[in-house]
Short mmCIF file of all heavy atoms in Angstrom, two decimals:
data_model
loop_
_atom_site.label_atom_id
_atom_site.label_comp_id
_atom_site.label_asym_id
_atom_site.label_seq_id
_atom_site.Cartn_x
_atom_site.Cartn_y
_atom_site.Cartn_z
N GLN A 1 10.86 -11.32 -26.07
CA GLN A 1 10.45 -12.57 -25.41
C GLN A 1 9.90 -12.29 -24.01
O GLN A 1 8.94 -12.94 -23.58
CB GLN A 1 11.64 -13.55 -25.34
CG GLN A 1 12.10 -14.08 -26.67
CD GLN A 1 11.00 -14.72 -27.49
OE1 GLN A 1 10.12 -15.38 -26.96
NE2 GLN A 1 11.04 -14.54 -28.80
N ARG A 2 10.49 -11.32 -23.31
CA ARG A 2 9.95 -10.93 -22.00
C ARG A 2 8.54 -10.36 -22.15
O ARG A 2 7.65 -10.64 -21.35
CB ARG A 2 10.84 -9.89 -21.34
CG ARG A 2 12.08 -10.46 -20.71
CD ARG A 2 12.78 -9.42 -19.82
NE ARG A 2 14.16 -9.80 -19.66
CZ ARG A 2 15.18 -9.27 -20.34
NH1 ARG A 2 14.97 -8.30 -21.20
NH2 ARG A 2 16.41 -9.69 -20.15
N PHE A 3 8.35 -9.53 -23.19
CA PHE A 3 7.03 -8.95 -23.47
C PHE A 3 6.01 -10.05 -23.74
O PHE A 3 4.89 -10.03 -23.21
CB PHE A 3 7.15 -8.00 -24.67
CG PHE A 3 5.85 -7.58 -25.26
CD1 PHE A 3 5.04 -6.64 -24.63
CD2 PHE A 3 5.41 -8.13 -26.47
CE1 PHE A 3 3.83 -6.26 -25.19
CE2 PHE A 3 4.22 -7.75 -27.03
CZ PHE A 3 3.42 -6.82 -26.39
N ARG A 4 6.39 -11.05 -24.56
CA ARG A 4 5.48 -12.16 -24.86
C ARG A 4 5.17 -12.97 -23.62
O ARG A 4 4.02 -13.38 -23.40
CB ARG A 4 6.11 -13.08 -25.91
CG ARG A 4 6.11 -12.51 -27.30
CD ARG A 4 6.62 -13.51 -28.29
NE ARG A 4 5.75 -14.67 -28.34
CZ ARG A 4 6.08 -15.83 -28.89
NH1 ARG A 4 7.26 -15.98 -29.45
NH2 ARG A 4 5.24 -16.84 -28.91
N GLU A 5 6.20 -13.20 -22.77
CA GLU A 5 5.98 -13.98 -21.55
C GLU A 5 5.03 -13.25 -20.62
O GLU A 5 4.13 -13.85 -20.02
CB GLU A 5 7.33 -14.23 -20.86
CG GLU A 5 7.27 -15.19 -19.68
CD GLU A 5 6.93 -14.50 -18.37
OE1 GLU A 5 7.24 -13.32 -18.21
OE2 GLU A 5 6.31 -15.16 -17.51
N GLU A 6 5.19 -11.94 -20.50
CA GLU A 6 4.31 -11.15 -19.63
C GLU A 6 2.87 -11.17 -20.15
O GLU A 6 1.92 -11.34 -19.39
CB GLU A 6 4.82 -9.71 -19.56
CG GLU A 6 4.01 -8.82 -18.65
CD GLU A 6 4.53 -7.39 -18.65
OE1 GLU A 6 5.68 -7.16 -19.04
OE2 GLU A 6 3.75 -6.51 -18.26
N ARG A 7 2.72 -11.02 -21.46
CA ARG A 7 1.38 -11.05 -22.07
C ARG A 7 0.74 -12.42 -21.88
O ARG A 7 -0.45 -12.53 -21.57
CB ARG A 7 1.50 -10.71 -23.55
CG ARG A 7 0.17 -10.46 -24.24
CD ARG A 7 0.37 -10.02 -25.66
NE ARG A 7 1.12 -11.02 -26.41
CZ ARG A 7 1.60 -10.85 -27.62
NH1 ARG A 7 1.43 -9.70 -28.23
NH2 ARG A 7 2.25 -11.80 -28.23
N PHE A 8 1.53 -13.50 -22.02
CA PHE A 8 1.02 -14.85 -21.83
C PHE A 8 0.61 -15.07 -20.37
O PHE A 8 -0.42 -15.68 -20.09
CB PHE A 8 2.08 -15.88 -22.25
CG PHE A 8 1.65 -17.30 -22.07
CD1 PHE A 8 0.73 -17.87 -22.92
CD2 PHE A 8 2.17 -18.05 -21.03
CE1 PHE A 8 0.33 -19.18 -22.76
CE2 PHE A 8 1.77 -19.36 -20.85
CZ PHE A 8 0.85 -19.94 -21.72
N ARG A 9 1.42 -14.55 -19.43
CA ARG A 9 1.10 -14.69 -18.00
C ARG A 9 -0.20 -13.99 -17.66
O ARG A 9 -1.05 -14.51 -16.95
CB ARG A 9 2.24 -14.14 -17.15
CG ARG A 9 2.04 -14.31 -15.65
CD ARG A 9 3.26 -13.88 -14.85
NE ARG A 9 3.80 -12.61 -15.26
CZ ARG A 9 3.29 -11.42 -14.94
NH1 ARG A 9 2.19 -11.34 -14.23
NH2 ARG A 9 3.88 -10.31 -15.35
N VAL A 10 -0.39 -12.78 -18.20
CA VAL A 10 -1.63 -12.03 -17.95
C VAL A 10 -2.82 -12.80 -18.51
O VAL A 10 -3.87 -12.91 -17.85
CB VAL A 10 -1.54 -10.62 -18.58
CG1 VAL A 10 -2.89 -9.94 -18.61
CG2 VAL A 10 -0.54 -9.76 -17.82
N THR A 11 -2.67 -13.36 -19.71
CA THR A 11 -3.75 -14.14 -20.32
C THR A 11 -4.05 -15.38 -19.49
O THR A 11 -5.22 -15.72 -19.27
CB THR A 11 -3.38 -14.55 -21.76
OG1 THR A 11 -3.06 -13.38 -22.51
CG2 THR A 11 -4.50 -15.30 -22.44
N SER A 12 -3.01 -16.07 -19.00
CA SER A 12 -3.20 -17.27 -18.19
C SER A 12 -3.92 -16.94 -16.88
O SER A 12 -4.83 -17.66 -16.47
CB SER A 12 -1.85 -17.93 -17.87
OG SER A 12 -1.23 -18.36 -19.04
N GLU A 13 -3.49 -15.86 -16.23
CA GLU A 13 -4.13 -15.48 -14.97
C GLU A 13 -5.59 -15.11 -15.20
O GLU A 13 -6.47 -15.47 -14.40
CB GLU A 13 -3.38 -14.30 -14.32
CG GLU A 13 -2.05 -14.70 -13.73
CD GLU A 13 -1.25 -13.52 -13.22
OE1 GLU A 13 -1.72 -12.37 -13.35
OE2 GLU A 13 -0.15 -13.76 -12.70
N SER A 14 -5.87 -14.40 -16.27
CA SER A 14 -7.25 -14.04 -16.60
C SER A 14 -8.10 -15.28 -16.85
O SER A 14 -9.23 -15.39 -16.38
CB SER A 14 -7.26 -13.12 -17.82
OG SER A 14 -8.57 -12.90 -18.27
N THR A 15 -7.53 -16.23 -17.60
CA THR A 15 -8.26 -17.48 -17.90
C THR A 15 -8.51 -18.27 -16.63
O THR A 15 -9.61 -18.78 -16.41
CB THR A 15 -7.46 -18.33 -18.90
OG1 THR A 15 -7.20 -17.55 -20.07
CG2 THR A 15 -8.22 -19.58 -19.28
N ASN A 16 -7.49 -18.37 -15.75
CA ASN A 16 -7.65 -19.10 -14.49
C ASN A 16 -8.74 -18.46 -13.63
O ASN A 16 -9.55 -19.16 -13.01
CB ASN A 16 -6.33 -19.14 -13.71
CG ASN A 16 -5.33 -20.09 -14.34
OD1 ASN A 16 -5.70 -20.99 -15.08
ND2 ASN A 16 -4.06 -19.88 -14.05
N GLN A 17 -8.77 -17.14 -13.58
CA GLN A 17 -9.78 -16.44 -12.79
C GLN A 17 -11.18 -16.70 -13.35
O GLN A 17 -12.13 -16.93 -12.60
CB GLN A 17 -9.47 -14.94 -12.79
CG GLN A 17 -10.25 -14.17 -11.75
CD GLN A 17 -9.79 -12.72 -11.69
OE1 GLN A 17 -9.28 -12.19 -12.67
NE2 GLN A 17 -9.99 -12.09 -10.55
N ARG A 18 -11.31 -16.66 -14.66
CA ARG A 18 -12.62 -16.93 -15.27
C ARG A 18 -13.08 -18.35 -15.01
O ARG A 18 -14.26 -18.60 -14.77
CB ARG A 18 -12.56 -16.66 -16.77
CG ARG A 18 -12.45 -15.19 -17.11
CD ARG A 18 -12.34 -14.96 -18.58
NE ARG A 18 -12.16 -13.54 -18.88
CZ ARG A 18 -11.95 -13.06 -20.07
NH1 ARG A 18 -11.89 -13.87 -21.10
NH2 ARG A 18 -11.82 -11.76 -20.26
N VAL A 19 -12.13 -19.32 -15.10
CA VAL A 19 -12.48 -20.72 -14.82
C VAL A 19 -12.94 -20.86 -13.38
O VAL A 19 -13.93 -21.57 -13.09
CB VAL A 19 -11.27 -21.65 -15.12
CG1 VAL A 19 -11.49 -23.03 -14.56
CG2 VAL A 19 -11.02 -21.72 -16.62
N LEU A 20 -12.25 -20.20 -12.44
CA LEU A 20 -12.64 -20.27 -11.03
C LEU A 20 -14.04 -19.72 -10.83
O LEU A 20 -14.90 -20.36 -10.20
CB LEU A 20 -11.64 -19.47 -10.19
CG LEU A 20 -11.99 -19.33 -8.70
CD1 LEU A 20 -11.97 -20.68 -8.01
CD2 LEU A 20 -11.05 -18.36 -8.02
N TRP A 21 -14.34 -18.53 -11.39
CA TRP A 21 -15.66 -17.94 -11.21
C TRP A 21 -16.74 -18.77 -11.91
O TRP A 21 -17.86 -18.88 -11.41
CB TRP A 21 -15.68 -16.49 -11.73
CG TRP A 21 -15.01 -15.56 -10.78
CD1 TRP A 21 -13.84 -14.89 -10.96
CD2 TRP A 21 -15.45 -15.19 -9.47
NE1 TRP A 21 -13.53 -14.13 -9.86
CE2 TRP A 21 -14.51 -14.30 -8.93
CE3 TRP A 21 -16.56 -15.55 -8.69
CZ2 TRP A 21 -14.63 -13.76 -7.65
CZ3 TRP A 21 -16.69 -15.00 -7.42
CH2 TRP A 21 -15.73 -14.12 -6.91
N TRP A 22 -16.41 -19.37 -13.05
CA TRP A 22 -17.38 -20.23 -13.73
C TRP A 22 -17.68 -21.47 -12.89
O TRP A 22 -18.84 -21.89 -12.80
CB TRP A 22 -16.84 -20.63 -15.11
CG TRP A 22 -17.73 -21.59 -15.84
CD1 TRP A 22 -17.43 -22.86 -16.20
CD2 TRP A 22 -19.06 -21.35 -16.31
NE1 TRP A 22 -18.48 -23.43 -16.86
CE2 TRP A 22 -19.50 -22.53 -16.94
CE3 TRP A 22 -19.92 -20.26 -16.25
CZ2 TRP A 22 -20.76 -22.64 -17.50
CZ3 TRP A 22 -21.18 -20.37 -16.82
CH2 TRP A 22 -21.59 -21.56 -17.44
N SER A 23 -16.65 -22.05 -12.25
CA SER A 23 -16.86 -23.21 -11.38
C SER A 23 -17.74 -22.84 -10.19
O SER A 23 -18.65 -23.60 -9.82
CB SER A 23 -15.52 -23.76 -10.87
OG SER A 23 -14.70 -24.11 -11.95
N ILE A 24 -17.46 -21.67 -9.58
CA ILE A 24 -18.28 -21.22 -8.44
C ILE A 24 -19.73 -21.01 -8.89
O ILE A 24 -20.68 -21.43 -8.20
CB ILE A 24 -17.69 -19.94 -7.83
CG1 ILE A 24 -16.36 -20.26 -7.13
CG2 ILE A 24 -18.66 -19.29 -6.85
CD1 ILE A 24 -15.57 -19.05 -6.69
N ALA A 25 -19.91 -20.40 -10.07
CA ALA A 25 -21.27 -20.17 -10.58
C ALA A 25 -21.99 -21.50 -10.83
O ALA A 25 -23.18 -21.63 -10.52
CB ALA A 25 -21.20 -19.36 -11.88
N GLN A 26 -21.27 -22.51 -11.36
CA GLN A 26 -21.89 -23.82 -11.59
C GLN A 26 -22.33 -24.46 -10.28
O GLN A 26 -23.42 -25.02 -10.19
CB GLN A 26 -20.91 -24.74 -12.31
CG GLN A 26 -20.79 -24.49 -13.79
CD GLN A 26 -19.86 -25.47 -14.46
OE1 GLN A 26 -18.81 -25.81 -13.92
NE2 GLN A 26 -20.24 -25.93 -15.63
N VAL A 27 -21.47 -24.38 -9.24
CA VAL A 27 -21.81 -24.96 -7.93
C VAL A 27 -23.04 -24.26 -7.35
O VAL A 27 -23.97 -24.91 -6.84
CB VAL A 27 -20.61 -24.87 -6.97
CG1 VAL A 27 -21.02 -25.20 -5.55
CG2 VAL A 27 -19.50 -25.79 -7.42
N VAL A 28 -23.09 -22.92 -7.44
CA VAL A 28 -24.23 -22.17 -6.92
C VAL A 28 -25.51 -22.57 -7.67
O VAL A 28 -26.57 -22.79 -7.06
CB VAL A 28 -23.97 -20.65 -7.03
CG1 VAL A 28 -25.24 -19.86 -6.78
CG2 VAL A 28 -22.89 -20.23 -6.05
N ILE A 29 -25.42 -22.69 -9.00
CA ILE A 29 -26.60 -23.06 -9.80
C ILE A 29 -27.06 -24.47 -9.43
O ILE A 29 -28.27 -24.72 -9.25
CB ILE A 29 -26.29 -22.95 -11.30
CG1 ILE A 29 -26.15 -21.47 -11.70
CG2 ILE A 29 -27.36 -23.61 -12.15
CD1 ILE A 29 -25.60 -21.25 -13.09
N LEU A 30 -26.12 -25.41 -9.30
CA LEU A 30 -26.49 -26.80 -8.95
C LEU A 30 -27.12 -26.87 -7.56
O LEU A 30 -28.12 -27.57 -7.36
CB LEU A 30 -25.25 -27.71 -9.02
CG LEU A 30 -24.77 -28.07 -10.42
CD1 LEU A 30 -23.44 -28.81 -10.34
CD2 LEU A 30 -25.80 -28.92 -11.14
N CYS A 31 -26.55 -26.15 -6.57
CA CYS A 31 -27.12 -26.14 -5.22
C CYS A 31 -28.52 -25.52 -5.23
O CYS A 31 -29.45 -26.02 -4.58
CB CYS A 31 -26.21 -25.39 -4.25
SG CYS A 31 -24.67 -26.26 -3.89
N SER A 32 -28.68 -24.44 -5.98
CA SER A 32 -29.99 -23.78 -6.07
C SER A 32 -31.01 -24.71 -6.71
O SER A 32 -32.16 -24.81 -6.24
CB SER A 32 -29.90 -22.50 -6.91
OG SER A 32 -28.96 -21.62 -6.35
N MET A 33 -30.62 -25.41 -7.78
CA MET A 33 -31.54 -26.35 -8.44
C MET A 33 -31.90 -27.50 -7.50
O MET A 33 -33.07 -27.91 -7.43
CB MET A 33 -30.89 -26.90 -9.72
CG MET A 33 -30.78 -25.90 -10.84
SD MET A 33 -32.36 -25.41 -11.49
CE MET A 33 -32.92 -26.92 -12.25
N GLY A 34 -30.91 -28.02 -6.77
CA GLY A 34 -31.18 -29.10 -5.81
C GLY A 34 -32.15 -28.65 -4.71
O GLY A 34 -33.09 -29.37 -4.36
N PHE A 35 -31.90 -27.46 -4.17
CA PHE A 35 -32.77 -26.91 -3.12
C PHE A 35 -34.19 -26.71 -3.66
O PHE A 35 -35.18 -27.07 -3.01
CB PHE A 35 -32.19 -25.59 -2.61
CG PHE A 35 -33.00 -24.95 -1.53
CD1 PHE A 35 -33.04 -25.49 -0.25
CD2 PHE A 35 -33.76 -23.82 -1.81
CE1 PHE A 35 -33.80 -24.89 0.74
CE2 PHE A 35 -34.53 -23.22 -0.82
CZ PHE A 35 -34.55 -23.76 0.45
N TRP A 36 -34.29 -26.16 -4.87
CA TRP A 36 -35.61 -25.93 -5.46
C TRP A 36 -36.35 -27.26 -5.70
O TRP A 36 -37.55 -27.38 -5.44
CB TRP A 36 -35.45 -25.17 -6.77
CG TRP A 36 -36.76 -24.92 -7.46
CD1 TRP A 36 -37.68 -23.97 -7.18
CD2 TRP A 36 -37.29 -25.69 -8.55
NE1 TRP A 36 -38.76 -24.08 -8.02
CE2 TRP A 36 -38.55 -25.13 -8.87
CE3 TRP A 36 -36.83 -26.79 -9.27
CZ2 TRP A 36 -39.34 -25.64 -9.89
CZ3 TRP A 36 -37.61 -27.27 -10.28
CH2 TRP A 36 -38.86 -26.71 -10.59
N GLN A 37 -35.61 -28.27 -6.20
CA GLN A 37 -36.25 -29.58 -6.44
C GLN A 37 -36.72 -30.21 -5.15
O GLN A 37 -37.81 -30.81 -5.09
CB GLN A 37 -35.26 -30.51 -7.16
CG GLN A 37 -35.07 -30.18 -8.63
CD GLN A 37 -34.09 -31.09 -9.31
OE1 GLN A 37 -33.29 -31.76 -8.65
NE2 GLN A 37 -34.14 -31.12 -10.63
N MET A 38 -35.94 -30.11 -4.07
CA MET A 38 -36.34 -30.67 -2.77
C MET A 38 -37.61 -30.00 -2.26
O MET A 38 -38.55 -30.66 -1.79
CB MET A 38 -35.21 -30.53 -1.75
CG MET A 38 -34.01 -31.40 -2.05
SD MET A 38 -34.35 -33.14 -1.95
CE MET A 38 -34.64 -33.34 -0.21
N ARG A 39 -37.67 -28.67 -2.36
CA ARG A 39 -38.87 -27.94 -1.91
C ARG A 39 -40.08 -28.30 -2.76
O ARG A 39 -41.19 -28.49 -2.25
CB ARG A 39 -38.63 -26.44 -1.98
CG ARG A 39 -37.76 -25.95 -0.82
CD ARG A 39 -37.85 -24.50 -0.69
NE ARG A 39 -39.24 -24.11 -0.46
CZ ARG A 39 -39.62 -22.96 0.01
NH1 ARG A 39 -38.72 -22.06 0.30
NH2 ARG A 39 -40.88 -22.67 0.19
N HIS A 40 -39.85 -28.41 -4.08
CA HIS A 40 -40.96 -28.75 -4.97
C HIS A 40 -41.50 -30.14 -4.67
O HIS A 40 -42.73 -30.35 -4.60
CB HIS A 40 -40.48 -28.65 -6.42
CG HIS A 40 -41.55 -28.94 -7.42
ND1 HIS A 40 -42.62 -28.09 -7.63
CD2 HIS A 40 -41.74 -30.00 -8.26
CE1 HIS A 40 -43.42 -28.60 -8.55
NE2 HIS A 40 -42.89 -29.77 -8.95
N LEU A 41 -40.58 -31.13 -4.49
CA LEU A 41 -41.02 -32.49 -4.18
C LEU A 41 -41.73 -32.55 -2.83
O LEU A 41 -42.74 -33.25 -2.67
CB LEU A 41 -39.81 -33.44 -4.19
CG LEU A 41 -39.29 -33.82 -5.58
CD1 LEU A 41 -37.99 -34.58 -5.46
CD2 LEU A 41 -40.33 -34.65 -6.33
N ARG A 42 -41.21 -31.82 -1.86
CA ARG A 42 -41.83 -31.83 -0.53
C ARG A 42 -43.25 -31.26 -0.59
O ARG A 42 -44.19 -31.84 -0.02
CB ARG A 42 -40.98 -31.01 0.43
CG ARG A 42 -41.49 -31.08 1.84
CD ARG A 42 -40.53 -30.41 2.77
NE ARG A 42 -41.10 -30.45 4.10
CZ ARG A 42 -40.64 -29.80 5.12
NH1 ARG A 42 -39.58 -29.05 4.97
NH2 ARG A 42 -41.22 -29.90 6.29
#
């Protein structure tokens, strides 16, 4: 049970890290698209 808990914790931490990096990537993409659209419209 300790082995399973440790494996689950590692999986959870990995998933949380991936979600965080995916959120950061989405924000960067959205900001880049907004900046590009403003320059294009201008």
Side-chain angles (χ1 to χ4, degrees):
Q1 293 305 324
R2 282 192 202 101
F3 166 75
R4 286 186 63 196
E5 188 273 331
E6 182 182 340
R7 191 175 58 189
F8 179 73
R9 183 174 47 78
V10 168
T11 304
S12 297
E13 287 174 358
S14 172
T15 304
N16 287 339
Q17 194 174 25
R18 289 178 184 176
V19 167
L20 174 65
W21 284 112
W22 176 244
S23 302
I24 291 170
Q26 281 183 319
V27 169
V28 168
I29 290 169
L30 286 173
C31 290
S32 302
M33 289 293 293
F35 180 72
W36 179 79
Q37 285 179 342
M38 291 295 292
R39 283 196 59 163
H40 181 70
L41 284 172
R42 185 173 177 191

